[in-house]
Amino acid sequence: MKITKKVFKEEMIQRLKEKYAMDISDATPQELFHVLGSVVKTYYADDWVQTWKDYLTEETKQVYYFSIEFLPGKMLKSNLLNLGILDTVRDGLTELGFSLDDIVDQEKDMALGNGGLGRLASCFMDSIASCGLPGNGNGIRYDYGLFKQRFVDGYQVELPDEWLNNGNVWEVRKESKAIDVRFGGDVYMMPLADGRLKPVYENSRLIKAVPYDTAMVGYQNDVVNTLRLWSVEIPASEESKYRSLEDRRELEDLTAVLYPDDSNERGRRIRLLQEYFFVSAGVQSIVRYFKKLNKPLTTMSQSIAIHINDTHPALCVPEMMRILLDECDLSWEQAWEITVKVMSYTNHTIMSEALEKWPIELMQDLLPRMYQIIEEIDRRFVNQYRKYYEADLIERTRIIRNGQVHMANLAIIGSHSTNGVAKLHTDLLKNVVLHDFYVIFPGRFNNKTNGIAERRWLQLSNEPLAKLLDKTIKTSWRQKPNDLHLLQNFVEDDAVLSAIEEAKYKNKVALAQYIKETTDIVVSPNAIFDVQIKRLHAYKRQLLNLLHILKLYFDIKAKPDLQMEPRVFIFGAKAAPSYSYAKAIIKTINETAQLINNDPDVKDRLKIVFLENYNVTLAERIIPAADVSEQISLASKEASGTSNMKLMLNGAVTLATLDGANIEIRDAVGKENIVIFGLTEEEVYAYYHAQNYNALGIYEDSPTIQKVLNAFIDGTIPNIQFEGQEIFDSLIKYNDEFFVLRDFDSYCLAQKRIEELYQDKRRWQQISLINIANAGKFSADHTVERYAEDIWQIEPVFAHKELTR
Ligand code: Z15
């Protein structure tokens, strides 16, 4: 459909009249946003219906990406871009007397995720649709997304994220597609006359799962896929069972909030119910759809792929078994073969506190039929493989162990593919963390390095650079991110180099203004913008960054006229509300900011800016303005990282350890165009094996480290008596779990190197250019194409569509 500016403007005027009974000139940005959203919806409605129909009539194999988190951020601009009408709408609105950007601001971020894992799921949704791949998301429609972060006296305070308060224009409630989900009570297997067993449920509860669908619009290809999020309701038939308000409340709260922990699992009742809720609703609706195709169940894997994003949806395995056994009357062997062929699993971490385990009693109590099936999967696994492997290995790999259900083991045993998210991470899975499984199932393991949606993270968020690219290398990079390579030809072109710097400068001015407005801190766009944005976690080592800042500060104090390239250290990070150590780091960074930003001796050589409420929208502001990308996790701990890719794409220079995808970024840009420091993964493991890491020794040998660490406990940094001690103890008393002190000197040298490079302006511009030119590799388009071919066995649909339409 071709949408002209004239038609668009008329529609806006007309709809405003219908919806709000007012002239467009009287409309508020909020009203305009809602009307614009509903107009945009009509622009993709036909393609959405058609995509559903095509998949059904052509019996296209589809993937369902199950994730307990999705983090799309705002969707208006992304939909406009993908529909190919961003400029039309922007110009149309201007002619009506409005600015698109003001209207865009009205949309609340859809923040149904914590961090990397949820954002990856959303980048994949964008890429799957944009590559014309038949794929859908399946998740939870939380009433409250990730908490809103405020700082009060430097402390993190959490406020509820009431994202649905003004309604959600993009979602479509599909009452008719609701599904009953059963939990609790007892279950008995009753023998039937023909010898089969049928489950009988007593005192179990039924809850209604209602889907809300959101369109995932492909990039200018007429494909519109679906993100289906489930919300809980009490079915009418069950109303009488709820005697008290509290009873109802407990159930209605099931999809109320997103658990705010990133990479940290603690066994919690409601969380387990959340997991089963969206898994059961999703798998039931998939099987219901498959049955419409009238194909034998044994061929399900030719039509359906289910992806388990981290272990949270691992109950997909026993739930599919339950449906096939109890409701479709298949034999165990048949059901198992289908299930394993349909399922695939991604592991996102090797950190043991993030590997989900549920107590047997809890699982039995809440999900008795799931537990029975898991027990049987476990029994058969042990039985089958004990013939070939030593008893210890079987004991280590079985699902039920030490009174707990090990969800990663369930996901690996119950699927045909387990992948890691970067080369190093996958190697560690194979060789260390999941080595036992690799021995049993070597063919199941594979790598899929993460990627990012270049549409959001460059085309939308960095227009100055995007326009420059169009001018320099034409526009093909917008379709094929690999064409960013064409920029490499301009590495000696002074005009292009300075244009890149000008684009960056423009973005820095905009960020400086935002910083002024939100924090009242004045920063110069001529300073180096040094950025660390990610969840606050000990392994990511925001502390290492802070120690270096303190060192620079003491250098200035010791030598007041020290020559130094001015720097703005920018942080964005939320801490899990229960993670007191992470909160202590936030408080300490904020107090250090007070100290340094207000010390007249510093004379603007250093500034610390900790921006509140880091989220997708704030990332879109910060990333285009970044000069330096801090990727400083302890080697082996960050499975992949994705902000590293976003910052690279926007021309920041990476300062990194050899961890996660940083290694692949180095390989892509060459070691002259990245600054690497710190222990390697081998060196880290050597410390583990020798058990000879000695933080106190490092402290005692280094006057600099002593000076910096003492600042935490001697009052130099004000108002952190408690937090300062906690941090100091983590390093000295508890022997520095993440080897911060060991990497300190190496990090300081690397930071010196950054400064030298920055002072060579042309060299810096070249590095920046080379980073942009080589970022196409990390497009999620490539990543999902690899998943599609190697794991899901699905194919793009538009080759066919183009012929038929
Ligand atoms: C999460 O955001 C990640 C891993 C997890 O196990 C959980 Cl529970 C949440 C992150 C990784 O830390 C990060 O390295 C990776 O880039 C991201 O998942 C996407 O794979």
Side-chain angles (χ1 to χ4, degrees), residues 13-43:
I13 293 167
Q14 188 55 31
R15 289 220 171 211
L16 238 137
K17 266 194 210 129
E18 285 164 24
K19 187 158 179 193
Y20 294 106
M22 62 164 68
D23 271 347
I24 193 154
S25 51
D26 298 327
T28 64
Q30 176 65 218
E31 287 157 348
L32 284 164
F33 168 70
H34 278 276
V35 169
L36 178 53
S38 56
V39 168
V40 170
K41 254 164 105 176
T42 65
Y43 293 157

PDB file of all heavy atoms in Angstrom, residues 13-43:
ATOM      1  N   ILE A  13      -6.714  13.793  10.825  1.00  0.00           N
ATOM      2  CA  ILE A  13      -7.757  14.774  11.161  1.00  0.00           C
ATOM      3  C   ILE A  13      -9.085  14.072  11.434  1.00  0.00           C
ATOM      4  O   ILE A  13      -9.758  14.319  12.429  1.00  0.00           O
ATOM      5  CB  ILE A  13      -7.899  15.804  10.007  1.00  0.00           C
ATOM      6  CG1 ILE A  13      -6.611  16.646   9.922  1.00  0.00           C
ATOM      7  CG2 ILE A  13      -9.133  16.680  10.204  1.00  0.00           C
ATOM      8  CD1 ILE A  13      -6.489  17.474   8.657  1.00  0.00           C
ATOM      9  N   GLN A  14      -9.419  13.149  10.560  1.00  0.00           N
ATOM     10  CA  GLN A  14     -10.683  12.438  10.661  1.00  0.00           C
ATOM     11  C   GLN A  14     -10.759  11.622  11.964  1.00  0.00           C
ATOM     12  O   GLN A  14     -11.734  11.676  12.699  1.00  0.00           O
ATOM     13  CB  GLN A  14     -10.830  11.534   9.423  1.00  0.00           C
ATOM     14  CG  GLN A  14     -12.185  10.869   9.306  1.00  0.00           C
ATOM     15  CD  GLN A  14     -13.326  11.900   9.347  1.00  0.00           C
ATOM     16  OE1 GLN A  14     -13.177  13.055   8.912  1.00  0.00           O
ATOM     17  NE2 GLN A  14     -14.463  11.496   9.914  1.00  0.00           N
ATOM     18  N   ARG A  15      -9.702  10.875  12.222  1.00  0.00           N
ATOM     19  CA  ARG A  15      -9.705   9.993  13.406  1.00  0.00           C
ATOM     20  C   ARG A  15      -9.727  10.777  14.706  1.00  0.00           C
ATOM     21  O   ARG A  15     -10.313  10.331  15.683  1.00  0.00           O
ATOM     22  CB  ARG A  15      -8.457   9.136  13.399  1.00  0.00           C
ATOM     23  CG  ARG A  15      -8.521   8.121  12.330  1.00  0.00           C
ATOM     24  CD  ARG A  15      -7.973   6.835  12.836  1.00  0.00           C
ATOM     25  NE  ARG A  15      -8.249   5.845  11.837  1.00  0.00           N
ATOM     26  CZ  ARG A  15      -8.474   4.577  12.110  1.00  0.00           C
ATOM     27  NH1 ARG A  15      -8.437   4.177  13.369  1.00  0.00           N
ATOM     28  NH2 ARG A  15      -8.713   3.732  11.147  1.00  0.00           N
ATOM     29  N   LEU A  16      -9.054  11.913  14.706  1.00  0.00           N
ATOM     30  CA  LEU A  16      -9.072  12.720  15.921  1.00  0.00           C
ATOM     31  C   LEU A  16     -10.475  13.179  16.236  1.00  0.00           C
ATOM     32  O   LEU A  16     -10.915  13.211  17.379  1.00  0.00           O
ATOM     33  CB  LEU A  16      -8.135  13.913  15.774  1.00  0.00           C
ATOM     34  CG  LEU A  16      -7.098  13.844  16.891  1.00  0.00           C
ATOM     35  CD1 LEU A  16      -5.742  14.143  16.405  1.00  0.00           C
ATOM     36  CD2 LEU A  16      -7.519  14.691  18.061  1.00  0.00           C
ATOM     37  N   LYS A  17     -11.185  13.513  15.166  1.00  0.00           N
ATOM     38  CA  LYS A  17     -12.588  13.917  15.336  1.00  0.00           C
ATOM     39  C   LYS A  17     -13.391  12.762  15.920  1.00  0.00           C
ATOM     40  O   LYS A  17     -14.120  12.930  16.886  1.00  0.00           O
ATOM     41  CB  LYS A  17     -13.167  14.325  13.980  1.00  0.00           C
ATOM     42  CG  LYS A  17     -13.065  15.797  13.753  1.00  0.00           C
ATOM     43  CD  LYS A  17     -13.930  16.222  12.585  1.00  0.00           C
ATOM     44  CE  LYS A  17     -13.289  17.434  11.939  1.00  0.00           C
ATOM     45  NZ  LYS A  17     -13.123  17.296  10.491  1.00  0.00           N
ATOM     46  N   GLU A  18     -13.217  11.585  15.329  1.00  0.00           N
ATOM     47  CA  GLU A  18     -13.999  10.425  15.777  1.00  0.00           C
ATOM     48  C   GLU A  18     -13.695  10.072  17.222  1.00  0.00           C
ATOM     49  O   GLU A  18     -14.577   9.824  18.021  1.00  0.00           O
ATOM     50  CB  GLU A  18     -13.677   9.201  14.906  1.00  0.00           C
ATOM     51  CG  GLU A  18     -14.289   9.239  13.530  1.00  0.00           C
ATOM     52  CD  GLU A  18     -13.631   8.221  12.612  1.00  0.00           C
ATOM     53  OE1 GLU A  18     -13.066   7.221  13.138  1.00  0.00           O
ATOM     54  OE2 GLU A  18     -13.670   8.428  11.393  1.00  0.00           O
ATOM     55  N   LYS A  19     -12.409  10.029  17.523  1.00  0.00           N
ATOM     56  CA  LYS A  19     -12.025   9.490  18.830  1.00  0.00           C
ATOM     57  C   LYS A  19     -12.178  10.514  19.952  1.00  0.00           C
ATOM     58  O   LYS A  19     -12.597  10.160  21.051  1.00  0.00           O
ATOM     59  CB  LYS A  19     -10.584   8.984  18.766  1.00  0.00           C
ATOM     60  CG  LYS A  19     -10.193   8.264  20.043  1.00  0.00           C
ATOM     61  CD  LYS A  19      -9.026   7.312  19.899  1.00  0.00           C
ATOM     62  CE  LYS A  19      -8.812   6.732  21.300  1.00  0.00           C
ATOM     63  NZ  LYS A  19      -7.621   6.033  21.508  1.00  0.00           N
ATOM     64  N   TYR A  20     -11.795  11.724  19.692  1.00  0.00           N
ATOM     65  CA  TYR A  20     -11.807  12.713  20.782  1.00  0.00           C
ATOM     66  C   TYR A  20     -12.774  13.861  20.539  1.00  0.00           C
ATOM     67  O   TYR A  20     -12.848  14.784  21.350  1.00  0.00           O
ATOM     68  CB  TYR A  20     -10.399  13.284  20.996  1.00  0.00           C
ATOM     69  CG  TYR A  20      -9.401  12.264  21.507  1.00  0.00           C
ATOM     70  CD1 TYR A  20      -8.423  11.747  20.670  1.00  0.00           C
ATOM     71  CD2 TYR A  20      -9.459  11.827  22.830  1.00  0.00           C
ATOM     72  CE1 TYR A  20      -7.501  10.809  21.136  1.00  0.00           C
ATOM     73  CE2 TYR A  20      -8.556  10.892  23.301  1.00  0.00           C
ATOM     74  CZ  TYR A  20      -7.574  10.393  22.458  1.00  0.00           C
ATOM     75  OH  TYR A  20      -6.676   9.486  22.919  1.00  0.00           O
ATOM     76  N   ALA A  21     -13.486  13.818  19.449  1.00  0.00           N
ATOM     77  CA  ALA A  21     -14.429  14.888  19.107  1.00  0.00           C
ATOM     78  C   ALA A  21     -13.775  16.259  19.215  1.00  0.00           C
ATOM     79  O   ALA A  21     -14.245  17.138  19.933  1.00  0.00           O
ATOM     80  CB  ALA A  21     -15.671  14.814  20.003  1.00  0.00           C
ATOM     81  N   MET A  22     -12.645  16.388  18.548  1.00  0.00           N
ATOM     82  CA  MET A  22     -11.984  17.699  18.584  1.00  0.00           C
ATOM     83  C   MET A  22     -11.229  17.965  17.286  1.00  0.00           C
ATOM     84  O   MET A  22     -10.970  17.064  16.504  1.00  0.00           O
ATOM     85  CB  MET A  22     -11.032  17.796  19.774  1.00  0.00           C
ATOM     86  CG  MET A  22      -9.907  16.788  19.741  1.00  0.00           C
ATOM     87  SD  MET A  22      -8.574  17.196  20.867  1.00  0.00           S
ATOM     88  CE  MET A  22      -9.320  16.980  22.447  1.00  0.00           C
ATOM     89  N   ASP A  23     -10.930  19.216  17.107  1.00  0.00           N
ATOM     90  CA  ASP A  23     -10.095  19.610  15.981  1.00  0.00           C
ATOM     91  C   ASP A  23      -8.651  19.216  16.263  1.00  0.00           C
ATOM     92  O   ASP A  23      -8.204  19.310  17.404  1.00  0.00           O
ATOM     93  CB  ASP A  23     -10.155  21.128  15.786  1.00  0.00           C
ATOM     94  CG  ASP A  23     -11.287  21.505  14.861  1.00  0.00           C
ATOM     95  OD1 ASP A  23     -11.837  20.589  14.202  1.00  0.00           O
ATOM     96  OD2 ASP A  23     -11.614  22.705  14.816  1.00  0.00           O
ATOM     97  N   ILE A  24      -7.950  18.873  15.221  1.00  0.00           N
ATOM     98  CA  ILE A  24      -6.569  18.425  15.427  1.00  0.00           C
ATOM     99  C   ILE A  24      -5.724  19.514  16.084  1.00  0.00           C
ATOM    100  O   ILE A  24      -4.804  19.233  16.852  1.00  0.00           O
ATOM    101  CB  ILE A  24      -5.944  17.913  14.114  1.00  0.00           C
ATOM    102  CG1 ILE A  24      -4.653  17.157  14.412  1.00  0.00           C
ATOM    103  CG2 ILE A  24      -5.687  19.048  13.131  1.00  0.00           C
ATOM    104  CD1 ILE A  24      -4.274  16.127  13.400  1.00  0.00           C
ATOM    105  N   SER A  25      -6.047  20.748  15.815  1.00  0.00           N
ATOM    106  CA  SER A  25      -5.250  21.839  16.387  1.00  0.00           C
ATOM    107  C   SER A  25      -5.331  21.887  17.912  1.00  0.00           C
ATOM    108  O   SER A  25      -4.466  22.450  18.563  1.00  0.00           O
ATOM    109  CB  SER A  25      -5.686  23.178  15.788  1.00  0.00           C
ATOM    110  OG  SER A  25      -7.086  23.287  15.908  1.00  0.00           O
ATOM    111  N   ASP A  26      -6.385  21.274  18.481  1.00  0.00           N
ATOM    112  CA  ASP A  26      -6.531  21.289  19.936  1.00  0.00           C
ATOM    113  C   ASP A  26      -5.953  20.058  20.615  1.00  0.00           C
ATOM    114  O   ASP A  26      -6.010  19.935  21.845  1.00  0.00           O
ATOM    115  CB  ASP A  26      -8.021  21.385  20.319  1.00  0.00           C
ATOM    116  CG  ASP A  26      -8.636  22.675  19.801  1.00  0.00           C
ATOM    117  OD1 ASP A  26      -7.899  23.685  19.756  1.00  0.00           O
ATOM    118  OD2 ASP A  26      -9.817  22.648  19.432  1.00  0.00           O
ATOM    119  N   ALA A  27      -5.423  19.137  19.823  1.00  0.00           N
ATOM    120  CA  ALA A  27      -5.005  17.853  20.397  1.00  0.00           C
ATOM    121  C   ALA A  27      -3.710  17.969  21.187  1.00  0.00           C
ATOM    122  O   ALA A  27      -2.810  18.722  20.824  1.00  0.00           O
ATOM    123  CB  ALA A  27      -4.833  16.824  19.283  1.00  0.00           C
ATOM    124  N   THR A  28      -3.624  17.208  22.288  1.00  0.00           N
ATOM    125  CA  THR A  28      -2.380  17.131  23.057  1.00  0.00           C
ATOM    126  C   THR A  28      -1.482  16.076  22.414  1.00  0.00           C
ATOM    127  O   THR A  28      -1.969  15.205  21.673  1.00  0.00           O
ATOM    128  CB  THR A  28      -2.659  16.683  24.503  1.00  0.00           C
ATOM    129  OG1 THR A  28      -3.188  15.357  24.472  1.00  0.00           O
ATOM    130  CG2 THR A  28      -3.634  17.627  25.187  1.00  0.00           C
ATOM    131  N   PRO A  29      -0.185  16.112  22.735  1.00  0.00           N
ATOM    132  CA  PRO A  29       0.715  15.078  22.192  1.00  0.00           C
ATOM    133  C   PRO A  29       0.237  13.660  22.544  1.00  0.00           C
ATOM    134  O   PRO A  29       0.325  12.755  21.727  1.00  0.00           O
ATOM    135  CB  PRO A  29       2.052  15.395  22.873  1.00  0.00           C
ATOM    136  CG  PRO A  29       1.996  16.855  23.159  1.00  0.00           C
ATOM    137  CD  PRO A  29       0.562  17.153  23.465  1.00  0.00           C
ATOM    138  N   GLN A  30      -0.306  13.505  23.761  1.00  0.00           N
ATOM    139  CA  GLN A  30      -0.814  12.203  24.187  1.00  0.00           C
ATOM    140  C   GLN A  30      -1.965  11.736  23.281  1.00  0.00           C
ATOM    141  O   GLN A  30      -1.993  10.584  22.827  1.00  0.00           O
ATOM    142  CB  GLN A  30      -1.281  12.303  25.651  1.00  0.00           C
ATOM    143  CG  GLN A  30      -1.920  11.065  26.238  1.00  0.00           C
ATOM    144  CD  GLN A  30      -0.984   9.889  26.344  1.00  0.00           C
ATOM    145  OE1 GLN A  30      -1.404   8.762  26.124  1.00  0.00           O
ATOM    146  NE2 GLN A  30       0.273  10.122  26.656  1.00  0.00           N
ATOM    147  N   GLU A  31      -2.889  12.637  22.999  1.00  0.00           N
ATOM    148  CA  GLU A  31      -4.011  12.281  22.117  1.00  0.00           C
ATOM    149  C   GLU A  31      -3.505  11.994  20.711  1.00  0.00           C
ATOM    150  O   GLU A  31      -3.946  11.044  20.047  1.00  0.00           O
ATOM    151  CB  GLU A  31      -5.032  13.420  22.108  1.00  0.00           C
ATOM    152  CG  GLU A  31      -5.827  13.501  23.413  1.00  0.00           C
ATOM    153  CD  GLU A  31      -6.440  14.866  23.698  1.00  0.00           C
ATOM    154  OE1 GLU A  31      -6.077  15.863  23.009  1.00  0.00           O
ATOM    155  OE2 GLU A  31      -7.258  14.936  24.623  1.00  0.00           O
ATOM    156  N   LEU A  32      -2.565  12.800  20.284  1.00  0.00           N
ATOM    157  CA  LEU A  32      -2.000  12.570  18.947  1.00  0.00           C
ATOM    158  C   LEU A  32      -1.305  11.220  18.860  1.00  0.00           C
ATOM    159  O   LEU A  32      -1.419  10.512  17.864  1.00  0.00           O
ATOM    160  CB  LEU A  32      -0.994  13.682  18.608  1.00  0.00           C
ATOM    161  CG  LEU A  32      -1.636  15.019  18.221  1.00  0.00           C
ATOM    162  CD1 LEU A  32      -0.613  16.139  18.299  1.00  0.00           C
ATOM    163  CD2 LEU A  32      -2.230  14.937  16.819  1.00  0.00           C
ATOM    164  N   PHE A  33      -0.605  10.869  19.943  1.00  0.00           N
ATOM    165  CA  PHE A  33       0.079   9.573  19.932  1.00  0.00           C
ATOM    166  C   PHE A  33      -0.928   8.436  19.754  1.00  0.00           C
ATOM    167  O   PHE A  33      -0.721   7.533  18.942  1.00  0.00           O
ATOM    168  CB  PHE A  33       0.889   9.353  21.215  1.00  0.00           C
ATOM    169  CG  PHE A  33       1.369   7.935  21.356  1.00  0.00           C
ATOM    170  CD1 PHE A  33       2.357   7.443  20.515  1.00  0.00           C
ATOM    171  CD2 PHE A  33       0.781   7.070  22.273  1.00  0.00           C
ATOM    172  CE1 PHE A  33       2.772   6.116  20.601  1.00  0.00           C
ATOM    173  CE2 PHE A  33       1.191   5.744  22.367  1.00  0.00           C
ATOM    174  CZ  PHE A  33       2.190   5.270  21.531  1.00  0.00           C
ATOM    175  N   HIS A  34      -2.020   8.500  20.486  1.00  0.00           N
ATOM    176  CA  HIS A  34      -2.983   7.408  20.396  1.00  0.00           C
ATOM    177  C   HIS A  34      -3.641   7.327  19.036  1.00  0.00           C
ATOM    178  O   HIS A  34      -3.831   6.242  18.480  1.00  0.00           O
ATOM    179  CB  HIS A  34      -4.012   7.509  21.526  1.00  0.00           C
ATOM    180  CG  HIS A  34      -3.460   6.924  22.782  1.00  0.00           C
ATOM    181  ND1 HIS A  34      -3.500   5.585  23.048  1.00  0.00           N
ATOM    182  CD2 HIS A  34      -2.767   7.489  23.795  1.00  0.00           C
ATOM    183  CE1 HIS A  34      -2.885   5.339  24.191  1.00  0.00           C
ATOM    184  NE2 HIS A  34      -2.423   6.491  24.670  1.00  0.00           N
ATOM    185  N   VAL A  35      -3.937   8.481  18.489  1.00  0.00           N
ATOM    186  CA  VAL A  35      -4.546   8.473  17.162  1.00  0.00           C
ATOM    187  C   VAL A  35      -3.534   8.010  16.112  1.00  0.00           C
ATOM    188  O   VAL A  35      -3.844   7.173  15.263  1.00  0.00           O
ATOM    189  CB  VAL A  35      -5.100   9.870  16.836  1.00  0.00           C
ATOM    190  CG1 VAL A  35      -5.492   9.957  15.376  1.00  0.00           C
ATOM    191  CG2 VAL A  35      -6.297  10.165  17.736  1.00  0.00           C
ATOM    192  N   LEU A  36      -2.326   8.513  16.218  1.00  0.00           N
ATOM    193  CA  LEU A  36      -1.293   8.101  15.263  1.00  0.00           C
ATOM    194  C   LEU A  36      -1.074   6.589  15.359  1.00  0.00           C
ATOM    195  O   LEU A  36      -0.988   5.892  14.338  1.00  0.00           O
ATOM    196  CB  LEU A  36       0.006   8.864  15.538  1.00  0.00           C
ATOM    197  CG  LEU A  36       1.212   8.526  14.665  1.00  0.00           C
ATOM    198  CD1 LEU A  36       0.870   8.624  13.176  1.00  0.00           C
ATOM    199  CD2 LEU A  36       2.397   9.448  14.980  1.00  0.00           C
ATOM    200  N   GLY A  37      -1.003   6.084  16.584  1.00  0.00           N
ATOM    201  CA  GLY A  37      -0.839   4.634  16.764  1.00  0.00           C
ATOM    202  C   GLY A  37      -1.942   3.856  16.081  1.00  0.00           C
ATOM    203  O   GLY A  37      -1.681   2.887  15.366  1.00  0.00           O
ATOM    204  N   SER A  38      -3.177   4.312  16.246  1.00  0.00           N
ATOM    205  CA  SER A  38      -4.264   3.546  15.640  1.00  0.00           C
ATOM    206  C   SER A  38      -4.278   3.684  14.115  1.00  0.00           C
ATOM    207  O   SER A  38      -4.640   2.746  13.406  1.00  0.00           O
ATOM    208  CB  SER A  38      -5.616   3.878  16.264  1.00  0.00           C
ATOM    209  OG  SER A  38      -5.853   5.252  16.179  1.00  0.00           O
ATOM    210  N   VAL A  39      -3.825   4.824  13.625  1.00  0.00           N
ATOM    211  CA  VAL A  39      -3.703   4.969  12.162  1.00  0.00           C
ATOM    212  C   VAL A  39      -2.623   4.022  11.623  1.00  0.00           C
ATOM    213  O   VAL A  39      -2.822   3.311  10.633  1.00  0.00           O
ATOM    214  CB  VAL A  39      -3.385   6.433  11.777  1.00  0.00           C
ATOM    215  CG1 VAL A  39      -2.969   6.536  10.311  1.00  0.00           C
ATOM    216  CG2 VAL A  39      -4.583   7.341  12.055  1.00  0.00           C
ATOM    217  N   VAL A  40      -1.485   4.000  12.318  1.00  0.00           N
ATOM    218  CA  VAL A  40      -0.387   3.127  11.876  1.00  0.00           C
ATOM    219  C   VAL A  40      -0.847   1.669  11.864  1.00  0.00           C
ATOM    220  O   VAL A  40      -0.508   0.903  10.974  1.00  0.00           O
ATOM    221  CB  VAL A  40       0.856   3.323  12.780  1.00  0.00           C
ATOM    222  CG1 VAL A  40       1.910   2.271  12.493  1.00  0.00           C
ATOM    223  CG2 VAL A  40       1.430   4.721  12.592  1.00  0.00           C
ATOM    224  N   LYS A  41      -1.638   1.312  12.881  1.00  0.00           N
ATOM    225  CA  LYS A  41      -2.154  -0.059  12.932  1.00  0.00           C
ATOM    226  C   LYS A  41      -2.940  -0.427  11.672  1.00  0.00           C
ATOM    227  O   LYS A  41      -2.834  -1.537  11.172  1.00  0.00           O
ATOM    228  CB  LYS A  41      -3.073  -0.205  14.149  1.00  0.00           C
ATOM    229  CG  LYS A  41      -2.438  -0.995  15.270  1.00  0.00           C
ATOM    230  CD  LYS A  41      -3.189  -0.788  16.554  1.00  0.00           C
ATOM    231  CE  LYS A  41      -4.052  -1.949  16.946  1.00  0.00           C
ATOM    232  NZ  LYS A  41      -4.672  -1.694  18.276  1.00  0.00           N
ATOM    233  N   THR A  42      -3.717   0.552  11.192  1.00  0.00           N
ATOM    234  CA  THR A  42      -4.492   0.236   9.980  1.00  0.00           C
ATOM    235  C   THR A  42      -3.560   0.027   8.776  1.00  0.00           C
ATOM    236  O   THR A  42      -3.905  -0.687   7.848  1.00  0.00           O
ATOM    237  CB  THR A  42      -5.503   1.354   9.621  1.00  0.00           C
ATOM    238  OG1 THR A  42      -4.768   2.541   9.282  1.00  0.00           O
ATOM    239  CG2 THR A  42      -6.444   1.634  10.784  1.00  0.00           C
ATOM    240  N   TYR A  43      -2.370   0.629   8.839  1.00  0.00           N
ATOM    241  CA  TYR A  43      -1.449   0.478   7.709  1.00  0.00           C
ATOM    242  C   TYR A  43      -0.836  -0.925   7.618  1.00  0.00           C
ATOM    243  O   TYR A  43      -0.383  -1.336   6.570  1.00  0.00           O
ATOM    244  CB  TYR A  43      -0.331   1.528   7.768  1.00  0.00           C
ATOM    245  CG  TYR A  43      -0.800   2.942   7.557  1.00  0.00           C
ATOM    246  CD1 TYR A  43      -0.057   4.013   8.033  1.00  0.00           C
ATOM    247  CD2 TYR A  43      -1.982   3.218   6.865  1.00  0.00           C
ATOM    248  CE1 TYR A  43      -0.471   5.326   7.853  1.00  0.00           C
ATOM    249  CE2 TYR A  43      -2.408   4.522   6.685  1.00  0.00           C
ATOM    250  CZ  TYR A  43      -1.661   5.571   7.179  1.00  0.00           C
ATOM    251  OH  TYR A  43      -2.079   6.860   6.989  1.00  0.00           O
TER     252      TYR A  43
END
